[in-house]
Amino acid sequence: ALQMFPGMSHAQAKRLVFATFTGSWEEAHRAVLVPAFRAATKADITLDPMLSVDQIAKVSAARNNPPLDAMLHDPGPALTAIGQGLTENYPVAQSKYYKDLIPEAQEVTGPAIFFQTVGLTYNPEKIKTPPTSWRDLWKPEFKGRVGITNLNSTLGTGFLVEVAKMFGGSEANVEPGFKALNDLKPNLAAVAANPGALATLFQQGQIDISPGNFNAIQILKARGVPVEFVSPKEGAIAFKTTIHVVKNSPNRDLAVALIEAAMSPEVQSKLMQAPFLVVPTNTKVKMEGEIAKVLAKDHAEMKKRFVFQDWKKINEHRAEWIERFNRDIKV
């Protein structure tokens, strides 16, 4: 990083503030990305875990002196942050690793450093027959045992869209999805605030089945929590996770150095291993282990098996959906 930016000396380096996600993402970044960043820059870093909507609100409230230097976003919030002018483009010409990312990850507004995958998660000690479809969540035998997240999370919104599609809707028409969620109420045990909180409900034995993030579930398994992940026959939801340099950040060079570290094959290879099992975007990283076994053996197969959603269309009405969900979908 210091070779990329010769103007940044150790003495000048300040503390970088990186807004990551809560739960498994914070754990993965603290264990792998933070040490790699410190080794490359000799600078310090603070992780500030929060949902994307909270990141955007925090930076928007202090545009000229932002409290964050780098933000982590899923597709919908990324479009919002970029549209509000809260980020700056990545210095692609200076990057060592940008060219090695798969084409879909090469976003000049903020490189996609990982893929997240959402499928069905369940407790195999309580559910002996593995679920195969999103529709299984509505089965009578799961009364009071289903968990979901609210729509502030990409997991929650992505799930709503897939449910809408399952009953004839689309990104532009989620009415069938809301009707189906209303019908799901007898089965709902909890509506979690975020994916990390949803994973905790499995650990506490409060839910037995839910839509869930692949990597969050793997961390629970590593702790001995009885939980498994399966891709529904409709296809697992996949979305890119991008890191952005915050506009007007006083630590711009450090923010870029963080993103370089996140794109590196060394970091992505480590994050792909247990217990984190994060799907890499660097083509130099060969998929292996549980990712190759459960999700896809390579990036080409991943693009065939995963469902990618139109977040530009979703964003048009997402705020209305969040308000409606918070009002109407209660446990």
Side-chain angles (χ1 to χ4, degrees):
L2 293 173
Q3 291 174 351
M4 288 176 58
F5 306 104
M8 180 178 70
S9 69
H10 293 158
Q12 292 170 324
K14 300 178 182 179
R15 180 184 293 270
L16 178 81
V17 181
F18 171 39
T20 183
F21 297 151
T22 58
S24 61
W25 287 97
E26 179 187 1
E27 293 183 43
H29 287 154
R30 194 175 299 282
V32 179
L33 181 55
V34 166
F37 168 81
R38 285 177 173 154
T41 65
K42 304 300 185 285
D44 208 350
I45 177 173
T46 295
L47 293 184
D48 196 355
M50 66 185 84
L51 290 172
S52 285
V53 290
D54 298 323
Q55 296 179 36
I56 291 171
K58 202 168 185 178
V59 173
S60 182
R63 290 171 178 264
N64 296 325
N65 186 27
L68 306 175
D69 300 303
M71 294 188 287
L72 186 72
H73 287 312
D74 296 332
L79 290 171
T80 299
I82 294 164
Q84 292 183 9
L86 303 180
T87 66
E88 65 172 69
N89 285 351
Y90 194 70
V92 174
Q94 300 175 26
S95 176
K96 179 179 179 180
Y97 302 115
Y98 184 86
K99 66 182 185 303
D100 295 331
L101 302 183
I102 61 173
E104 293 81 2
Q106 293 185 16
E107 300 277 0
V108 69
T109 51
I113 52 164
F114 312 115
F115 272 105
Q116 291 191 63
T117 310
V118 174
L120 286 161
T121 56
Y122 70 100
N123 181 339
E125 293 183 357
K126 299 290 185 64
I127 300 174
K128 301 302 182 181
T129 302
T132 60
S133 166
W134 296 122
R135 291 178 184 268
D136 289 345
L137 295 172
W138 281 260
K139 286 184 174 180
E141 57 260 41
F142 297 143
K143 183 177 181 180
R145 303 310 302 161
V146 175
I148 60 176
T149 61
N150 64 33
L151 301 198
N152 287 330
S153 70
T154 300
L155 167 61
T157 299
F159 174 62
L160 169 66
V161 170
E162 286 311 295
V163 171
K165 289 180 180 178
M166 191 168 61
F167 291 101
S170 66
E171 286 92 340
N173 173 25
V174 297
E175 281 302 318
F178 271 107
K179 182 182 183 304
L181 289 184
N182 191 64
D183 293 341
L184 184 64
K185 283 183 180 181
N187 284 14
L188 287 180
V191 176
N194 54 61
L198 185 69
T200 300
L201 293 175
F202 273 103
Q203 196 168 12
Q204 296 172 342
Q206 294 187 43
I207 61 173
D208 293 327
I209 187 169
S210 76
N213 281 329
F214 174 77
N215 59 304
I217 294 308
Q218 302 311 314
I219 289 180
L220 285 183
K221 285 180 65 176
R223 292 175 180 158
V225 178
V227 64
E228 294 290 345
F229 176 97
V230 292
S231 294
K233 64 183 181 182
E234 296 86 1
I237 307 167
F239 40 87
K240 295 179 287 189
T241 303
T242 50
I243 300 186
H244 305 263
V245 178
V246 175
K247 191 173 183 178
N248 297 324
S249 163
N251 299 311
R252 175 187 178 276
D253 289 351
L254 286 179
V256 171
L258 175 79
I259 298 173
E260 279 295 301
M263 290 190 293
S264 71
E266 293 80 13
V267 167
Q268 294 209 2
S269 293
K270 288 181 180 178
L271 287 174
M272 185 177 62
Q273 306 305 316
F276 305 117
L277 298 176
V278 177
V279 180
T281 56
N282 190 314
T283 57
K284 303 294 185 183
V285 179
K286 182 182 178 182
M287 291 187 185
E288 56 187 42
E290 196 73 5
I291 286 178
K293 177 183 175 182
V294 177
L295 297 180
K297 67 178 185 296
D298 54 34
H299 289 102
E301 184 179 35
M302 179 185 73
K303 286 186 279 188
K304 292 178 182 177
R305 295 181 61 181
F306 291 176
V307 173
F308 294 91
Q309 299 171 329
D310 183 352
W311 280 90
K312 186 175 181 180
K313 178 61 67 176
I314 290 171
N315 265 15
E316 292 178 5
H317 299 288
R318 188 181 181 191
E320 301 166 25
W321 301 348
I322 291 174
E323 182 179 350
R324 179 177 174 182
F325 180 93
N326 292 341
R327 183 184 67 242
D328 296 342
I329 309 299
K330 301 176 182 177
V331 179

